[in-house]
Amino acid sequence: RFAPSTRARRLKVVLFAIVTLLSCAIATPWNRTPAYTMFGNGLVIARITGIGTLIWTAVLFLTMSRTMIKGLYQCLPSRSLAARQLDANETTHVFCGKMVFVFGVLHTLAHLISTYRIIDELDFQEVNTALKCATQADLPLVFANSPRCPLEKKHGYYEMLFSMTGQTGFLLLVVLGVMGYTAAKRVRKANFEVFWYVHNVCMVLFVILLFLHGLQGWFGIGMPLVLPFCAIPVCLYSIDRVLRVVRYYMFKGGSVRILSAVIRPGPKGGEAGALTALQVTKPPRLWNFRAGMYAYLNVPEYSSWQWHPFTIVSGREDETVDFIIAGAGDWTKTLAKQCLDYKNELRPDFPTIAMDGPYSAPATTALCGHILVAIGAGVGITPFLALMARIVAMLGEDEVDVEGTCKDMSLKEVHFFWITRSADEFLFGRHHFTRIVSNPVLRERVFLHLHLTQREPAGDAPAYLFREAVRRQ
C-alpha cells in the first residue's frame, strides 16, 4: 500500500495524463481544415489548452461537491482504490486550480503568438474563409459578441486584445491569480476572512467570465463550451450551497442549538488558545451521519457568511452532535468568548448557531486495514475521537456491519497516540476512554497511549502523580 502522500502524487499524475489525452482527442483536427491551414499549430495548442482548462474546471467543481462525494463514499466499498482516492479531494482541488491557471496561460500565449498575430497580418475577408461562424440566431447575448463573426472589417492586434474574448481572457487569469494568492497557506492563515470572501466572489466571477469568453461562435458552435463541460459539475456544487441555505433558515437557533459547552480557557485565562467542547442538538431532517464525518458551523452574530469545518467527535448513536474547537482564529475565539460570557452570566444564552452537513472525511476509510495507528497532538485528536466512537460501535457491540464500514472487517489492533501539553485536554476524551477501558473486548484490541509534554508545577502532588501514571502506562 502506498502512503497517502504517494497516493496523492500518483493520482495527480494519472489525472494530468487523462485530462491531457482527452483534451488532445477532442481538440486535435483529424484533417487539414481551413482554420488549421491558416493558423497552424498555434490554433491547435490554443484549442487543446482551452478544452483542457474546461475539463480541469469541471474536475475542480467536482472535488468540492461534498454531497456527491459523500454519496460515493457510501456507495463504494471502503477498501476500494476509488474510495481511498476520494480522501485526497482537497489536495486534488488545489492541484486542479493550479492546472486551470497553467492551461489558461498556455491558451492565452497560443492566441497572442499565433491567432491574433495572423488576424492582424491578413485581410479580414481572407480570415473569414477560415472561420466557421455560428448563426446569430444560435448565439446567446449577441450584443456581447465582439468582434462579430464573420468579420466586417480588419481588426488589428491591439484591437483584438480589447475584444470580448481578449478582455475576458485576461480577466480570467487575473481572477485565478487573486484566488490562488489569497488561497496560499500563508495568506489564508494570516487572514481567513479575505480568503473566504475572495474565493466565493471570484468563483462566481470565474464562471460568468468563462461563459462570456466562449460566446464568439467562430467555429460553428452556437453556445459556450463551458456549458457541456461544466454545467453538471457546477450544478452538483450548487446543490451543496442550496442545501446549506435550506439548513440555515430551517434549523438555525431552533432545532439546531447549543445544549452545553465546556470551555478550557487559554493560557492567559481568556478565549485565545481556549478549547471549547460543544454539544449541539441534531437536526430533525437532512442529517445522515456516521462517525468520522465533519460539519460546517456558522455563528450569525459574527457573520452569516462564514462557515468553518469541524470534525464531529460524537458517535452515530449519541443524542447530540459534539465538537471540540480550538480558539486559534478570530471566529473560534469569538465563539469561545461568547460561551464564556454565558457561563459567567454576561449574556442570557449561548450564541445562535447553524450547522451544515455532515460530510465524509478521510478518516471514514481508515478502518479497512489490519492495524490502525492514529496520532494526534492537542486538539488534533478530534478526528480520532470520532474513530473511537465508531470502533466502540463496531467492536464493543460486535456490529461489524455498521453502515459505511468494511464488509470483511479485518481490524485487529487500534493504537491511539495523544500528545498534549496540558492534562486538561485529556478530559475531552474521557467519555470515549471510559467506554473503551470498561469493555473487555475493546481492551484487547484498542490501546491508548497518552503523552504529556509539560512539566508539572513545583509542589503540585496531584499533577506529579498524574504525570507518573501517564508515563508508566
Side-chain angles (χ1 to χ4, degrees):
R1 295 180 182 271
F2 298 106
S5 59
T6 303
R7 197 160 55 233
R9 286 194 297 269
R10 285 176 170 260
L11 175 61
K12 293 175 183 178
V13 172
V14 172
L15 192 59
F16 180 83
I18 292 175
V19 172
T20 302
L21 292 174
L22 191 58
S23 302
C24 292
I26 295 173
T28 303
W30 300 108
N31 50 41
R32 296 186 66 85
T33 62
Y36 175 73
T37 303
M38 178 174 293
F39 297 106
N41 291 327
L43 177 63
V44 176
I45 295 173
R47 293 181 63 179
I48 290 174
T49 52
I51 295 296
T53 301
L54 294 175
I55 297 176
W56 283 117
T57 301
V59 180
L60 184 80
F61 278 96
L62 289 176
T63 56
M64 287 293 103
S65 302
R66 297 181 179 89
T67 301
M68 180 202 70
I69 293 174
K70 177 182 175 180
L72 291 176
Y73 265 119
Q74 294 175 344
C75 295
L76 294 171
S78 298
R79 298 181 69 93
S80 67
L81 179 62
R84 293 183 179 273
Q85 300 303 335
L86 291 176
D87 292 348
N89 69 302
E90 290 192 9
T91 57
T92 305
H93 176 78
V94 175
F95 177 70
C96 288
K98 295 177 180 178
M99 289 298 100
V100 169
F101 184 77
V102 170
F103 274 60
V105 169
L106 294 176
H107 178 76
T108 302
L109 290 176
H111 278 307
L112 292 178
I113 295 172
S114 176
T115 312
Y116 285 7
R117 179 182 58 81
I118 293 174
I119 291 177
D120 177 56
E121 294 175 352
L122 299 179
D123 182 74
F124 74 94
Q125 294 179 343
E126 186 178 356
V127 174
N128 284 335
T129 61
L131 301 181
K132 186 180 180 182
C133 302
T135 62
Q136 295 297 315
D138 293 335
L139 292 172
L141 303 178
V142 174
F143 65 88
N145 302 330
S146 172
R148 293 190 178 185
C149 185
L151 300 178
E152 299 172 350
K153 64 175 184 176
K154 181 177 176 62
H155 293 273
Y157 190 86
Y158 291 103
E159 191 175 356
M160 290 300 299
L161 292 180
F162 289 95
S163 64
M164 176 60 71
T165 52
Q167 292 182 72
T168 54
F170 286 120
L171 286 174
L172 281 167
L173 293 181
V174 171
V175 168
L176 288 171
V178 172
M179 292 178 72
Y181 175 77
T182 55
K185 185 176 181 180
R186 175 180 56 83
V187 179
R188 185 176 72 248
K189 187 175 182 180
N191 198 327
F192 182 83
E193 291 185 7
V194 171
F195 156 75
W196 177 262
Y197 291 117
V198 168
H199 220 68
N200 282 274
V201 172
C202 286
M203 175 186 62
V204 177
L205 284 176
F206 178 76
V207 175
I208 294 174
L209 289 172
L210 207 57
F211 180 85
L212 294 174
H213 185 71
L215 279 177
Q216 297 307 110
W218 279 20
F219 297 98
I221 300 175
M223 64 176 177
L225 287 176
V226 67
L227 292 180
F229 280 93
C230 302
I232 293 177
V234 170
C235 288
L236 289 173
Y237 175 78
S238 300
I239 289 173
D240 292 349
R241 292 309 180 98
V242 171
L243 288 175
R244 173 173 290 182
V245 173
V246 170
R247 292 185 179 110
Y248 180 86
Y249 286 103
M250 285 183 64
F251 306 137
K252 174 196 65 174
S255 302
V256 174
R257 65 187 186 281
I258 299 175
L259 285 181
S260 67
V262 177
I263 302 101
R264 190 217 69 184
K268 297 182 180 180
E271 64 274 9
L275 284 180
T276 304
L278 294 181
Q279 285 191 326
V280 182
T281 55
K282 284 184 179 180
R285 293 174 294 279
L286 300 177
W287 184 261
N288 182 17
F289 170 73
R290 68 185 187 198
M293 290 183 171
Y294 69 96
Y296 283 85
L297 296 182
N298 173 277
V299 178
E301 293 179 37
Y302 184 87
S303 172
S304 58
W305 293 95
Q306 285 196 35
W307 295 80
H308 294 258
F310 299 98
T311 302
I312 301 170
V313 299
S314 53
R316 182 184 179 91
E317 73 285 354
D318 293 333
E319 296 298 325
T320 57
V321 185
D322 300 350
F323 303 91
I324 298 177
I325 302 171
D330 293 339
W331 190 92
T332 52
K333 286 189 287 188
T334 299
L335 176 62
K337 184 179 185 304
Q338 291 175 338
C339 292
L340 280 171
D341 288 346
Y342 172 72
K343 293 284 187 179
N344 296 328
E345 300 183 350
L346 298 178
R347 57 178 293 147
D349 201 353
F350 285 118
T352 302
I353 198 169
M355 188 162 57
D356 176 40
Y359 299 111
S360 297
T364 55
T365 61
L367 301 176
C368 298
H370 296 290
I371 299 176
L372 171 63
V373 178
I375 303 173
V379 77
I381 194 67
T382 51
F384 310 122
L385 292 178
L387 277 178
M388 288 184 193
R390 193 170 179 189
I391 288 170
V392 167
M394 291 189 306
L395 303 181
E397 301 175 8
D398 295 326
E399 294 182 4
V400 296
D401 59 344
V402 175
E403 179 184 354
T405 61
C406 303
K407 302 302 180 183
D408 53 336
M409 173 57 60
S410 57
L411 191 62
K412 304 300 181 184
E413 290 184 17
V414 183
H415 294 266
F416 290 99
F417 291 83
W418 191 349
I419 307 168
T420 182
R421 294 177 58 189
S422 174
D424 295 343
E425 294 184 13
F426 291 137
L427 297 176
F428 290 109
R430 65 187 184 278
H431 173 64
H432 302 290
F433 295 164
T434 301
R435 296 174 70 179
I436 291 173
V437 299
S438 62
N439 188 308
V441 175
L442 292 174
R443 285 203 306 269
E444 294 178 359
R445 303 176 72 174
V446 181
F447 303 91
L448 303 175
H449 307 269
L450 307 181
H451 298 273
L452 189 63
T453 59
Q454 188 179 47
R455 297 290 300 181
E456 69 280 353
D460 191 334
Y464 172 78
L465 291 175
F466 179 82
R467 179 183 177 84
E468 287 300 303
V470 170
R471 186 174 67 86
R472 298 169 186 271
Q473 61 183 315

